[in-house]
Amino acid sequence: MAALWHSTFFLVMVLLAISRPSLASQAGNDDLQMGTEHRTNKGTVNGTENLITTLPIVTWNWQEIKFPYLVALWILVSWLCKLVFQLNPSLTSVIPESGLLICIGWVLGGIIYWADKVQTFKLQPFIFFFYLLPQIVLDAGYSMPNKLFFSNFGSILVYAVIGTCWNAATLGLALWGCCLGGAIGDIDIGLLQLLLFGSLIAAVDPVAVIAVFEEVHVNEVLYILVFGESLLNDGVTVVLFNVFNAFVSLGGAQINAVEIIKGIISFFVVALGGSLVGVIFALLISLLTRCTKNIQIIEPGFIFILGYLSYLTAEMLSLSAILSCTFCGVCCQKYINANMDKRSVSTLRYVMKVFANGSETIIFVFLGITAIDPSIWVWNTAFILLTLLFIFVFRFIGVFFLTWILNQYRLVPLEFIDQLMMGYGGLRGAVAYGLVVLLDENKYKEKNLMISTTLLVVYFTVMLQGITMKPLVTWLKVKRAAVTERTLAEIIQNRTFDHILVAIEDISGQIGHNYMRDKWNNFEERWLYWLLMTPSARKSCDHIFNIFHKLNLKDAMSYVKEGERRGSLAFVRNETKADVDFNKKFSGNFSAMMPYIMAENMGSDHVPVSSILWDSVHSVCLDMHEKDLKMRESEDFNAHHLLEQHLYRGKKQHRHRYSREYLEVNKDKNEVQEIFQRTMRSRLESFKSAKMGVNPPKKISYHLKKDQPQKMPNGKSTDNRKSHAYGKEDLEFSEGDSASGCEAAGGSFPMRAHRGAGIVNPAFNAEMDPMPAMQQILPWLAEAEVDSSAVVPSQRAQLTLPCTPSNLHRLAPLHLTTHSFLLADSPATQDTSEPPPPPVV
Amino acid sequence: MGSTNSTLSKIPNVEELVQETGFTPAHIVRLYDRFEALDKEKTGHLRPQDFGAINRLAINPIGDRIIGAFFSPGQETVDFHSFVRILAHFRPADKKRPKDPSMPEPVNSRTSKLKFAFQLYDQDKDGKISRAELLQVLRSMLEMQVTEEQLESIADRTIQEADLDTDDAISFEEFRKVPPGGALRLTYQHGALTQIRFIIVKNYVRFDNGKQAMKGNRYLKFTLPC
């Protein structure tokens, strides 16, 4: 608490520092405002210029730098406010941050008013719309989880367009009804003006919504619906606002059917046109980032400036600027992320967050400050209360009705609780305020009433609904049963269940093959990648794992091929030691390396991923054995802690999370890569081991000579047809495996000698050095059969078990290849499913 | 509904399948679509490598085991019926179904779900999870920097905890007792309280060619015993 008071005190000091000079400058003009200050002060500066009589050493140049200085100070103050709250987690956990910022805005506004006797600082619509809003919108678009967004695009559009129109219309009509009925009293306001008011206040505000929803963890569909809606309906609101504004200017008498139709047309033109401008700018950005390789330092700057230009251009063409900026961000994110240097991307992301978060903070603080100004307050209890009531009620009605319709079409309907949250999440914010201040006082007699109502609505929704949102979520959604996982068995079992469900979900196709999506993907792959991405980025961008996967397989194959060429896999064997160690401990290095591999090797197919990997692992893991032996003595580690830390998480879908606050350092990614590596290696192994048990030696010797020339082409064609990858793999690994195959009924037993997974073909050991290898294998074999992990061979495998004595195969020449045709019906791959042979010892 | 019917007519013995697994015809159609999409060579059977082509499975630490569970011993392919039958394990248990002792236990009961999970551990099918088997699973589920010694001691402790008859292995009876019976299990993950329950086709809006998503087939939920 002390920290809070200290910081508050500091804030007050800063504030006084700001307001005192403004007091001084108050003499000439009373109603200074931030936007106009600059211009009005120039005259006085010029006037005093000629009065110097001697050379001043230092001068007080306040007037010249006043404007930028105040801006900078205000930004500092707003951010300090945020800092103050973040020192108090207990406070922010109850009241959402946006609410707190508004509160502190009130305090600051109070101080300023007390010092100046007039509200010097206000949130000016111009500043809001041109300097504060664009980066927020751009950031939202850029960090949008695209897949989620577009798979719910229909629903979002329905909510954003129809829902907003519904809210606007019903609020306007209902208020008008109340006016006619005399419930509100004597105010000079007509139906059109009320509709206008309805339209400006209908929009759910992305700034407020994100600020609140970010802290309340809701499921991602709900999140994207509310977020997407709030983003798009800002555009809709502005359009509606302009249309109604024009209607009001025309006057009720001149509005006929033609004008109304024109209004509807202009609505669509403005909205679609704005989106189109955004898409065009996204294309421009993507094209531009194709060739910014040489100026990496300002690379991220292009995105900002072009994003901002998309906003301004749309505004210039009187199209929807918000939609333009949103779509610009949404459309270009994929391509610029692929095109730009990794560092530029992270710079971009961080700077984007800094801007967005910073201006969000400023907006809320100023929303608070603005309120402390008696000149704007016109109190009309009935009007304000009715507005609040109608907003609340009609929002719910709209959401329920639209969801009911949507649920007829959605594969997974929105549940009642989700709908409730959507309705309740209708927070209003600064956009409404910015619009209402834009109104012309001459046309709208009740402008101040509208402003004060809007402010109250904003406060009410942000504060009250924001505060109650979190308890509501916990109360409605899941009872916060504090289930602690007590036993290790439980933890492990739960995590296993997690993984199982994820896998089942993947197998049964989580997102069905959607016709439109397929079409779009084809189009994208065919044309857009070619057009918008640098050739090197093209390979890695979308199916990054896909390609990584292919590369890995290919490398593994070339690895083995290389061994064949050299006549032995001695070099593989050397590295098996590294492999052992690799499993042991140093995966930190391993995973740290992964991004490097991903980034560097996507470009050139010819660098074998695995070679890099193995090399560095090898060099890293020296002397690990000794260390482990020491570790053995100190076994009193906290197993729970360990499990908590190191169990892989189920890959649920919570990674799509937009946050203006945090850029998560994605632990998931490392995990994913680690698991992926292991899976691939264990699969490779099981192909080999499967081969061992099943390949009839006769066939091997039969195809031996014939196939030799075909080998290379075979190997090469592998890459083209992914579905065959495993089969071909077998082909490459098959040779010589039968040497040991006859000794056991298939299974991956020899690998166990090597403690853990690795691209190690033990058969080569046998070949290089037959007798010791046999000795080596046999004890393990014995154990492998005793311990339950031995693979149960398929019936077919048992049928085809080679009956020839083992030494006979070992006499076979080194370069053996099975015919690829065998693979079609060969049971070799049957064992793919076997688990990675773990360290048994 | 047209496309549903036409797809349905392609699947043999739909009624039997529906009755056996409890999926609705629309679910079956969806699964059939998926099956066909996985079956790249249109043989009517899936092989392990067809499953292996699912990218996301490669990032599942026990993905290969789960693939393995689809293939009964001695089989190297799985046809549509077995495919659906296995998936049926994960249908949410029917709450409304009256307890009928005369009926055989439904495939999506808690016991059979647990059985499925148990078999993932129990690779040699001897009805017990041995220490070695547990170690295998642990090895694949824990990050790589965990050392072998740590793994072993985790395995030992786990077995100690669950092992009621002190035979140094976990039998199915012991396995099913691990989670406190019937409690709603929540995990704290990624900052969100989420039930271990997956809705399989989340956020999939059928605005396109899908007349399939008519009423009644919108749920394709899978659960595990919780």
Side-chain angles (χ1 to χ4, degrees):
Chain A
M1 221 42 198
L4 178 70
W5 288 118
H6 276 272
S7 339
T8 319
F9 179 72
F10 179 61
L11 269 181
V12 171
M13 293 301 287
V14 173
L15 204 83
L16 286 178
I18 299 174
S19 49
R20 197 167 302 150
S22 65
L23 265 177
S25 69
Q26 208 185 348
N29 20 17
D30 264 338
D31 50 353
L32 280 189
Q33 289 179 348
M34 260 176 83
T36 54
E37 256 172 345
H38 193 45
R39 257 169 278 134
T40 44
N41 284 328
K42 267 195 179 149
T44 52
V45 173
N46 288 337
T48 54
E49 212 170 24
N50 302 327
L51 295 179
I52 53 165
T53 52
T54 175
L55 183 78
I57 295 173
V58 281
T59 49
W60 179 247
N61 277 336
W62 168 248
Q63 291 303 330
E64 278 117 273
I65 53 111
K66 184 179 173 184
F67 179 67
Y69 203 84
L70 279 181
V71 170
L73 267 187
W74 270 118
I75 293 176
L76 177 72
V77 169
S78 322
W79 290 0
L80 284 176
C81 298
K82 195 173 174 107
L83 187 74
V84 172
F85 292 132
Q86 290 307 330
L87 292 177
N88 273 48
S90 54
L91 200 61
T92 40
S93 67
V94 180
I95 309 172
E97 204 187 78
S98 43
L100 283 175
L101 288 173
I102 290 180
C103 287
I104 210 160
W106 290 341
V107 176
L108 293 182
I111 295 173
I112 294 169
Y113 188 77
W114 166 75
D116 280 9
K117 300 290 177 282
V118 70
Q119 193 48 268
T120 323
F121 304 101
K122 278 183 184 170
L123 189 57
Q124 301 292 314
F126 184 81
I127 290 175
F128 172 72
F129 280 111
F130 288 98
Y131 298 122
L132 293 176
L133 192 60
Q135 59 263 43
I136 293 184
V137 178
L138 186 65
D139 172 62
Y142 175 72
S143 337
M144 180 77 78
N146 264 356
K147 200 169 173 186
L148 202 56
F149 179 67
F150 283 113
S151 52
N152 288 293
F153 194 58
S155 310
I156 292 173
L157 270 187
V158 168
Y159 286 122
V161 178
I162 303 179
T164 308
C165 293
W166 156 264
N167 284 347
T170 48
L171 178 67
L173 289 174
L175 281 178
W176 190 57
C178 291
C179 267
L180 287 187
I184 291 176
D186 187 26
I187 54 172
D188 181 13
I189 201 161
L191 172 62
L192 277 175
Q193 299 199 7
L194 282 171
L195 281 175
L196 178 96
F197 178 67
S199 72
L200 70 86
I201 213 160
V204 175
D205 186 62
V207 185
V209 163
I210 294 163
V212 170
F213 268 65
E214 202 175 273
E215 295 170 23
V216 186
H217 298 280
V218 293
N219 70 61
E220 58 169 5
V221 177
L222 178 58
Y223 185 84
I224 198 72
L225 283 180
V226 177
F227 179 36
E229 181 206 347
S230 64
L231 207 55
L232 294 190
N233 75 6
D234 272 0
V236 175
T237 312
V238 177
V239 176
L240 274 183
F241 175 83
N242 288 336
V243 170
F244 280 118
N245 203 1
F247 279 167
V248 172
S249 307
L250 274 177
Q254 290 186 352
I255 296 174
N256 50 25
V258 181
E259 295 298 331
I260 290 174
I261 289 171
K262 266 191 187 166
I264 293 171
I265 290 174
S266 106
F267 175 87
F268 283 104
V269 168
V270 169
L272 294 178
S275 315
L276 191 69
V277 169
V279 172
I280 290 170
F281 268 89
L283 285 179
L284 269 180
I285 293 178
S286 312
L287 280 176
L288 199 68
T289 47
R290 272 192 69 154
C291 39
T292 49
K293 213 170 186 74
N294 296 327
I295 43 165
Q296 274 180 8
I297 300 292
I298 55 167
E299 210 172 32
F302 280 116
I303 285 89
F304 286 109
I305 213 67
L306 278 173
Y308 192 46
L309 271 180
S310 80
Y311 189 91
L312 294 181
T313 310
E315 191 66 44
M316 187 176 69
L317 300 171
S318 77
L319 301 173
S320 169
I322 296 176
L323 287 178
S324 163
C325 205
T326 310
F327 276 97
C328 180
V330 166
C331 295
C332 73
Q333 50 162 275
K334 189 173 181 180
Y335 307 108
I336 57 179
N337 284 352
N339 279 346
M340 289 200 309
D341 187 70
K342 281 269 176 292
R343 281 167 300 175
S344 302
V345 173
S346 57
T347 311
L348 178 65
R349 292 173 65 202
Y350 274 100
V351 177
M352 200 84 104
K353 292 285 174 213
V354 170
F355 280 156
N357 200 345
S359 66
E360 178 190 299
T361 311
I362 296 170
I363 288 172
F364 280 119
V365 171
F366 270 85
L367 266 183
I369 291 176
T370 312
I372 312 298
D373 181 8
S375 68
I376 61 161
W377 285 102
V378 175
W379 193 266
N380 184 329
T381 317
F383 188 78
I384 290 166
L385 284 183
L386 280 173
T387 308
L388 278 175
L389 178 75
F390 287 144
I391 282 178
F392 201 70
V393 169
F394 287 127
R395 164 96 188 158
F396 271 104
I397 295 176
V399 165
F400 283 130
F401 179 66
L402 289 175
T403 316
W404 179 77
I405 295 176
L406 285 172
N407 272 352
Q408 309 295 310
Y409 295 96
R410 286 184 70 93
L411 198 59
V412 177
L414 289 167
E415 285 165 22
F416 179 71
I417 289 170
D418 288 349
Q419 300 174 32
L420 219 55
M421 292 313 301
M422 274 199 76
Y424 202 71
L427 307 182
R428 274 38 172 206
V431 172
Y433 173 77
L435 286 175
V436 81
V437 175
L438 275 181
L439 291 176
D440 180 5
E441 220 159 325
N442 300 324
K443 273 191 285 178
Y444 302 90
K445 299 285 184 285
E446 303 289 346
K447 180 185 172 188
N448 278 344
L449 176 61
M450 289 190 194
I451 292 181
S452 35
T453 312
T454 309
L455 276 176
L456 273 179
V457 168
V458 171
Y459 295 152
F460 179 82
T461 52
V462 170
M463 306 286 280
L464 273 181
Q465 286 179 220
I467 292 171
T468 45
M469 180 80 84
K470 210 183 244 176
L472 199 70
V473 167
T474 30
W475 180 62
L476 284 176
K477 197 111 185 159
V478 274
K479 289 176 187 73
R480 219 187 261 271
V483 177
T484 47
E485 294 166 320
R486 269 170 307 259
T487 64
L488 289 179
E490 263 181 84
I491 297 174
I492 294 168
Q493 215 188 62
N494 280 341
R495 212 38 83 77
T496 319
F497 288 167
D498 247 4
H499 288 308
I500 294 175
L501 271 182
V502 176
I504 290 298
E505 193 184 47
D506 290 338
I507 286 172
S508 51
Q510 179 201 2
I511 295 180
H513 53 138
N514 181 319
Y515 179 75
M516 287 298 277
R517 196 195 306 272
D518 282 353
K519 278 268 182 256
W520 168 254
N521 282 346
N522 284 342
F523 172 74
E524 194 178 32
E525 264 165 44
R526 184 107 185 259
W527 299 108
L528 289 185
Y529 285 3
W530 170 79
L531 181 69
L532 300 178
M533 284 195 188
T534 53
S536 56
R538 224 174 285 158
K539 295 202 179 83
S540 63
C541 84
D542 190 17
H543 308 294
I544 195 150
F545 275 124
N546 216 340
I547 286 161
F548 193 33
H549 174 117
K550 278 185 198 165
L551 271 180
N552 256 352
L553 288 180
K554 206 163 108 188
D555 291 340
M557 280 185 282
S558 64
Y559 199 61
V560 174
K561 239 186 277 167
E562 172 68 13
E564 286 171 355
R565 199 181 55 75
R566 288 203 217 161
S568 85
L569 276 194
F571 73 108
V572 177
R573 211 169 32 160
N574 288 341
E575 275 147 26
T576 57
K577 227 165 94 196
D579 193 39
V580 175
D581 290 338
F582 172 70
N583 260 353
K584 280 285 199 182
K585 181 125 184 152
F586 270 93
S587 68
N589 296 305
F590 171 65
S591 48
M593 216 163 53
M594 287 306 296
Y596 161 74
I597 293 168
M598 301 281 284
E600 296 295 318
N601 286 16
M602 284 315 168
S604 48
D605 289 5
H606 303 294
V607 188
V609 170
S610 50
S611 69
I612 294 177
L613 213 155
W614 290 75
D615 284 351
S616 30
V617 166
H618 195 46
S619 59
V620 150
C621 299
L622 295 173
D623 294 329
M624 270 317 298
H625 271 306
E626 285 180 17
K627 215 170 185 180
D628 278 342
L629 286 175
K630 280 175 208 153
M631 289 277 297
R632 199 186 283 273
E633 273 122 54
S634 59
E635 271 197 25
D636 54 334
F637 57 86
N638 187 338
H640 280 268
H641 178 70
L642 196 77
L643 280 179
E644 201 58 44
Q645 286 246 299
H646 297 300
L647 265 179
Y648 290 127
R649 305 231 174 336
K651 297 295 159 222
K652 293 195 184 179
Q653 314 218 305
H654 290 277
R655 273 169 296 158
H656 296 302
R657 175 125 278 156
Y658 172 80
S659 160
R660 204 169 286 144
E661 298 285 329
Y662 306 108
L663 269 173
E664 322 141 51
V665 177
N666 207 344
K667 193 190 171 218
D668 280 359
K669 241 178 201 162
N670 289 338
E671 261 184 18
V672 164
Q673 286 162 357
E674 201 177 294
I675 302 172
F676 182 74
Q677 277 292 312
R678 294 169 70 163
T679 311
M680 274 5 253
R681 284 192 295 154
S682 73
R683 281 191 191 169
L684 281 181
E685 246 177 49
S686 47
F687 302 141
K688 284 178 290 174
S689 53
K691 213 56 188 174
M692 270 186 266
V694 292
N695 248 346
K698 268 185 196 168
K699 284 182 183 171
I700 290 180
S701 46
Y702 173 72
H703 291 294
L704 159 67
K705 288 154 206 158
K706 219 164 58 176
D707 290 342
Q708 199 64 10
Q710 288 178 6
K711 219 186 95 198
M712 288 313 286
N714 270 346
K716 275 188 181 150
S717 65
T718 318
D719 318 321
N720 305 334
R721 289 183 295 161
K722 202 179 151 223
S723 57
H724 285 267
Y726 297 130
K728 294 283 167 63
E729 199 78 43
D730 268 309
L731 167 74
E732 301 300 337
F733 280 113
S734 60
E735 107 300 347
D737 283 351
S738 47
S740 41
C742 55
E743 285 143 20
S748 48
F749 61 91
M751 247 69 65
R752 243 157 244 133
H754 298 291
R755 277 194 148 207
I759 311 178
V760 186
N761 194 339
F764 293 118
N765 291 349
E767 276 175 13
M768 266 304 288
D769 208 353
M771 283 325 286
M774 283 307 296
Q775 285 159 3
Q776 209 179 40
I777 287 168
L778 280 170
W780 291 114
L781 170 60
E783 196 176 320
E785 276 170 350
V786 172
D787 84 48
S788 42
S789 49
V791 175
V792 182
S794 70
Q795 288 171 357
R796 196 150 169 190
Q798 281 165 337
L799 283 180
T800 51
L801 263 185
C803 45
T804 342
S806 61
N807 46 5
L808 196 133
H809 322 298
R810 232 174 285 126
L811 293 178
L814 287 172
H815 297 277
L816 293 176
T817 328
T818 39
H819 201 284
S820 54
F821 299 149
L822 291 179
L823 296 165
D825 58 341
S826 150
T829 50
Q830 189 257 336
D831 287 339
T832 319
S833 51
E834 292 307 332
V840 184
V841 265
Chain B
M1 257 340 188
S3 63
T4 306
N5 285 333
S6 65
T7 318
L8 269 184
S9 59
K10 273 190 280 178
I11 312 169
N13 301 329
V14 182
E15 290 81 14
E16 189 193 311
L17 208 54
V18 167
Q19 202 146 53
E20 192 183 331
T21 60
F23 283 119
T24 65
H27 286 159
I28 304 260
V29 167
R30 232 192 108 63
L31 290 175
Y32 191 72
D33 285 348
R34 179 62 180 170
F35 185 85
E36 283 195 318
L38 287 178
D39 182 18
K40 296 241 165 47
E41 277 149 29
K42 307 289 169 226
T43 54
H45 296 276
L46 293 184
R47 289 160 306 149
Q49 57 265 43
D50 291 325
F51 286 102
I54 303 171
N55 279 331
R56 284 170 52 95
L57 273 186
I59 56 168
N60 195 319
I62 52 172
D64 282 349
R65 280 168 191 263
I66 290 161
I67 295 175
F70 276 79
F71 299 89
S72 48
Q75 296 270 299
E76 65 221 35
T77 58
V78 57
D79 63 358
F80 181 62
H81 279 237
S82 332
F83 180 73
V84 175
R85 250 175 245 132
I86 300 221
L87 287 180
H89 280 103
F90 297 97
R91 273 187 56 244
D94 312 296
K95 281 178 196 139
K96 284 169 196 157
R97 176 178 290 190
K99 274 274 177 195
D100 187 359
S102 65
M103 291 272 284
E105 187 142 26
V107 72
N108 57 345
S109 70
R110 180 183 146 82
T111 311
S112 69
K113 282 175 187 182
L114 280 173
K115 194 98 195 164
F116 187 93
F118 183 77
Q119 277 162 4
L120 290 184
Y121 289 90
D122 182 24
Q123 292 283 317
D124 64 353
K125 314 252 188 305
D126 66 349
K128 281 190 159 94
I129 301 174
S130 66
R131 183 170 175 273
E133 281 166 337
L134 187 66
L135 261 176
Q136 282 189 12
V137 177
L138 282 178
R139 176 75 272 169
S140 54
M141 295 219 330
L142 279 154
E143 285 169 11
M144 287 197 184
Q145 61 256 46
V146 182
T147 62
E148 219 49 62
E149 289 73 28
Q150 289 173 324
L151 268 187
E152 279 168 24
S153 105
I154 291 175
D156 288 339
R157 284 182 61 165
T158 311
I159 289 185
Q160 267 175 26
E161 277 171 13
D163 192 15
L164 301 177
D165 54 4
T166 59
D167 61 348
D168 259 356
I170 304 174
S171 68
F172 181 64
E173 277 311 307
E174 288 158 356
F175 182 80
R176 67 183 297 174
K177 283 186 187 129
V178 167
L184 192 67
R185 186 144 302 275
L186 306 166
T187 50
Y188 190 73
Q189 282 208 335
H190 299 277
L193 267 178
T194 49
Q195 246 167 303
I196 304 189
R197 186 193 63 176
F198 275 74
I199 299 172
I200 194 180
V201 263
K202 269 181 184 172
N203 60 59
Y204 174 52
V205 192
R206 292 256 187 178
F207 272 131
D208 48 300
N209 61 340
K211 290 279 186 286
Q212 303 171 10
M214 299 303 275
K215 265 191 180 173
N217 66 343
R218 295 185 299 250
Y219 280 106
L220 201 47
K221 265 187 193 172
F222 291 147
T223 62
L224 269 172
C226 292

